[in-house]
Amino acid sequence: MAVAVVTGASRGIGRAAAIALGAAGNDVVVGYAGSPAAAEETVALVTQAGGRAVAAQADVADEQAVAGMFDLAEKEFGGVDVVVNSAGLMLLSPLADLDLDDFDRMHRTNIRGSFVVAREAARRLRDGGAVIMVSTSVVGLQFPAYSAYAASKGAVEAMILVLARELRGRNITVNAVAPGPTATDLFLNGKDQSVIDNLAKQPPLERLGQPEDIAGVIAFLASPAGHWVNGQTVRANGGII
């Protein structure tokens, strides 16, 4: 039985990924930033899906807190085999109007947080494991107002193949999943219905993604069936690009 640490697992794609991994037989550490009640809901849903789960609060940019998540996984379940970094922050603004405090907050979570989680994974993942980072298809779509967010996720994509090569000899895969417009609170907040409807029409499949769509790709990459995929960014977006 494998053990997974999933950040940002109290909601959205992270929650769906935790449930999918639990259903596949993984034990799951449900990482969350600020909502213990929501995290416990995820724990209950993972348990209902057939896995064992515990919640762990951690700011992904805090190396001590992230180390604590891994400590908990080792204490409760014996080690770590899969790491999914789904924690993220999205603050939108035209570049000319960008609030640099927002820029710093977002890049602290999305860049520093991703590197902190990846660093801990590189140090402590058992051989044969998998690291899956969550990026965004906006890196390629390049919508107006997304410059800082896309830049932060572009940094995540830039490290994937590098880390995969650095882990040579340990049979560990490192990949990113880049969702397109997906019906999560992170995406829906602040958008009026006309914008949402327009984006839903863009993919040839003519709908928004659902968290479960992305979770299925994550679970595949974490499984033996997905282990020959390495150093890649998988754009799970219904064909919007």
Side-chain angles (χ1 to χ4, degrees):
M1 182 176 291
V3 179
V5 171
V6 184
T7 71
S10 63
R11 60 178 184 162
I13 290 170
R15 170 178 281 186
I19 294 168
L21 290 167
N26 297 275
D27 297 327
V28 181
V29 173
V30 174
Y32 70 98
S35 178
E40 289 300 334
E41 288 176 5
T42 303
V43 168
L45 291 167
V46 172
T47 303
Q48 291 171 17
R52 297 186 298 170
V54 293
Q57 186 171 20
D59 171 0
V60 291
D62 181 338
E63 60 267 39
Q64 298 302 322
V66 169
M69 284 197 299
F70 282 74
D71 291 342
L72 182 63
E74 291 174 355
K75 176 183 176 182
E76 294 290 329
F77 303 128
V80 183
D81 305 284
V82 175
V83 173
V84 179
N85 186 46
S86 183
L89 181 63
M90 182 171 68
L91 303 169
L92 303 182
S93 168
L95 195 150
D97 302 325
L98 183 62
D99 183 322
L100 291 179
D101 287 339
D102 287 346
F103 177 91
D104 290 341
R105 286 174 56 210
M106 187 160 47
H107 283 219
R108 182 179 185 277
T109 296
N110 296 356
I111 298 180
R112 178 185 168 93
S114 294
F115 274 77
V116 169
V117 172
R119 187 181 71 168
E120 202 67 25
R123 291 174 173 177
R124 297 173 67 172
L125 214 61
R126 292 188 287 208
D127 289 358
V131 179
I132 301 116
M133 312 299 285
V134 177
S135 180
T136 173
S137 284
V138 173
V139 172
L141 291 169
Q142 300 174 355
F143 291 144
Y146 281 80
S147 60
Y149 179 67
S152 72
K153 293 297 191 174
V156 174
E157 293 187 13
M159 77 172 178
I160 298 303
L161 183 55
V162 175
L163 182 56
R165 288 171 170 166
E166 290 175 351
L167 296 178
R168 177 186 293 272
R170 292 177 56 191
N171 193 30
I172 293 172
T173 61
V174 184
N175 294 289
V177 176
T182 304
T184 65
D185 290 343
L186 184 71
F187 170 76
L188 295 173
N189 284 347
K191 294 182 174 68
D192 63 39
Q193 193 61 46
S194 64
V195 171
I196 294 168
D197 291 344
N198 181 60
L199 287 169
K201 294 174 183 175
Q202 300 304 308
L205 298 180
E206 296 186 316
R207 65 174 177 84
L208 293 179
Q210 296 298 316
E212 293 75 17
D213 295 320
I214 314 306
V217 179
I218 291 171
F220 168 73
L221 292 172
S223 75
H227 207 69
W228 191 236
V229 182
N230 193 20
Q232 306 300 311
T233 297
V234 180
R235 303 214 176 280
N237 57 32
I240 195 170
I241 295 179

